[in-house]
Amino acid sequence: MKVKQLFIEPWPRILGIPLVALILNFLIDGFAENGFQEYLVNLLFVSIMWNGDYFIIMSFRKVYPELSVTYKRIITTIIAVSAYNLVVDMLLCSFLGYCNVEGFENYFDEELKQNIAKNFITTFIIGMLYESGYFFDRWKKQTLEIEHIKSQQLRSELNVLKNQISPHFLFNSLNTLLALIHENPKLAAKFTEKLSQVYRYILKHKDKEIIMLKTELEFMMAYNYLLKMRFERSLVINVSIEPDILEKYVAPLTVQMLVENAVKHNVVAISKPLTVDIYAENGKSLIVRNNLQSKTQGVESLKTGLENIRLRYKYLSDREVDIIESREHFMVALPLIEVSNEHQYAMV
């Protein structure tokens, strides 16, 4: 029989009743000459008490099932079990005394204290066995339920964050398109065509929790084609990633969003080209760094970019997104995610 099955009824009673009777025999009666008779008497007492106690305990579990009322359940159960055991003890002792069984002739004069001690020990053992098992079982279930609720809440929050990506991208792309319409209508038409291709890519991958870095960089370079149509040589994007790093994972659309933010918040001109470097550091972080040349005028923003990325990684990784700004550069370090369990995330 497996160890786990020993704690499932009726095995606690089948194994516990003779064992507790034996313990009482040695604790109370010692090694008396009539030890076997005493054991049989103890076995009778423990059998009736244990089975009655079991049904009392189960009844109060139904009345007070929650952990929040554990104190009330224990108090009421102890009172009910103690009263039951005392009544059973008195009735059995009286019956055995009436039958002239040795040792029960003077129950109320000589045996009362001894039997109360037996009742206390029996009640304590039975109560501890069932209540501790029930408490830890409920505690484990409640802990799992809380973790499940937290996980569901985090996933809901993550879905909200992912749903911010498309509006964020579309908002900035439409601003770019608006500028192109006035500057170069033909280029604006071509931009619109490429924009639709990129947007289809976003719709395909935005619901994924993580994506392979190789796929993310392919998308980012497709997005870079849109940027090049407007900025030409004013924007330089350098990608230097070792092949083995490309097999790791990142949150989808994060690299594109960082490049997008760099373009939006910095001057991009032939005289002041914007350079974005993308590389891995120590095989653990993906670095997206741009030279800092902030626009003098304020830029209208939904302010969802960096915060979106930071909150998504709070869910996906135990490492935080590092954001470092110096006099010359603005740098974001994204944790690279290594997947050991393919079912852990919703992936490409």
Side-chain angles (χ1 to χ4, degrees), residues 51-70:
N51 284 287
D53 293 347
Y54 171 75
F55 288 107
I56 291 172
I57 291 170
M58 293 301 110
S59 299
F60 279 108
R61 280 187 187 177
K62 293 179 181 178
V63 177
Y64 305 112
E66 302 300 328
L67 282 178
S68 58
V69 291
T70 297

Side-chain angles (χ1 to χ4, degrees), residues 212-229:
M212 191 174 290
L213 177 58
K214 179 181 178 182
T215 306
E216 172 72 0
L217 290 178
E218 288 174 354
F219 164 68
M220 190 279 301
M221 295 308 293
Y223 171 72
N224 182 45
Y225 182 86
L226 297 179
L227 297 177
K228 283 287 186 180
M229 291 176 67

Side-chain angles (χ1 to χ4, degrees), residues 97-147:
Y98 178 78
C99 295
N100 296 318
V101 176
E102 184 180 353
F104 292 91
E105 302 89 347
N106 302 307
Y107 168 72
F108 290 100
D109 295 329
E110 300 175 2
E111 304 293 328
L112 181 60
K113 292 182 179 180
Q114 180 173 299
N115 279 280
I116 288 176
K118 287 183 179 180
N119 289 341
F120 176 78
I121 294 173
T122 304
T123 301
F124 179 79
I125 292 174
I126 296 172
M128 283 293 294
L129 176 66
Y130 284 107
E131 187 56 38
S132 59
Y134 180 71
F135 177 83
F136 283 109
D137 182 64
R138 290 295 301 171
W139 175 78
K140 182 179 178 182
K141 288 180 179 178
Q142 191 174 74
T143 301
L144 290 175
E145 288 173 0
I146 292 172
E147 289 301 316

Side-chain angles (χ1 to χ4, degrees), residues 213 240-247 279-281 283:
L213 177 58
S240 178
I241 306 288
E242 296 81 359
D244 58 319
I245 302 297
L246 293 174
E247 303 300 314
Y279 59 94
E281 188 175 80

Side-chain angles (χ1 to χ4, degrees), residues 182-347:
H182 296 288
E183 296 174 8
N184 190 332
K186 289 185 179 180
L187 192 59
K190 193 172 182 181
F191 182 91
T192 304
E193 181 185 350
K194 291 296 182 181
L195 176 62
S196 65
Q197 294 176 5
V198 170
Y199 203 80
R200 278 197 297 271
Y201 192 99
I202 289 179
L203 293 177
K204 180 180 178 181
H205 296 295
K206 76 180 184 68
D207 290 328
K208 303 295 182 181
E209 291 182 6
I210 60 174
I211 191 171
M212 191 174 290
L213 177 58
K214 179 181 178 182
T215 306
E216 172 72 0
L217 290 178
E218 288 174 354
F219 164 68
M220 190 279 301
M221 295 308 293
Y223 171 72
N224 182 45
Y225 182 86
L226 297 179
L227 297 177
K228 283 287 186 180
M229 291 176 67
R230 180 179 182 189
F231 297 108
E232 298 180 345
R233 290 176 297 169
S234 302
L235 176 65
V236 179
I237 297 180
N238 300 316
V239 179
S240 178
I241 306 288
E242 296 81 359
D244 58 319
I245 302 297
L246 293 174
E247 303 300 314
K248 297 187 178 183
Y249 290 81
V250 294
L253 308 173
T254 49
V255 178
Q256 172 267 332
M257 189 175 288
L258 291 174
V259 173
E260 180 183 356
N261 280 352
V263 170
K264 184 174 183 180
H265 295 283
N266 290 277
V267 174
V268 185
I270 294 292
S271 58
K272 297 184 71 174
L274 179 69
T275 302
V276 180
D277 297 310
I278 302 172
Y279 59 94
E281 188 175 80
N282 300 323
K284 295 183 178 180
S285 299
L286 181 71
I287 309 299
V288 180
R289 185 186 68 177
N290 62 270
N291 54 319
L292 195 60
Q293 40 196 38
S294 302
K295 293 180 179 179
T296 55
Q297 295 181 345
V299 179
E300 184 180 355
S301 175
L302 295 177
K303 297 182 179 180
T304 58
L306 288 174
E307 184 66 7
N308 181 295
I309 294 171
R310 188 185 66 80
L311 290 175
R312 279 198 287 158
Y313 269 93
K314 187 176 181 181
Y315 167 77
L316 294 170
S317 174
D318 56 359
R319 295 166 54 211
E320 294 184 355
V321 174
D322 290 326
I323 301 173
I324 302 171
E325 183 174 346
S326 67
R327 214 178 245 188
E328 298 180 348
H329 293 93
F330 184 84
M331 184 180 78
V332 177
L334 302 175
L336 287 170
I337 301 169
E338 296 187 32
V339 178
S340 56
N341 180 3
E342 64 179 5
H343 301 294
Q344 183 178 359
Y345 303 99
M347 302 183 304

Side-chain angles (χ1 to χ4, degrees), residues 1 39 160:
M1 182 182 297
Y39 174 74
V160 171

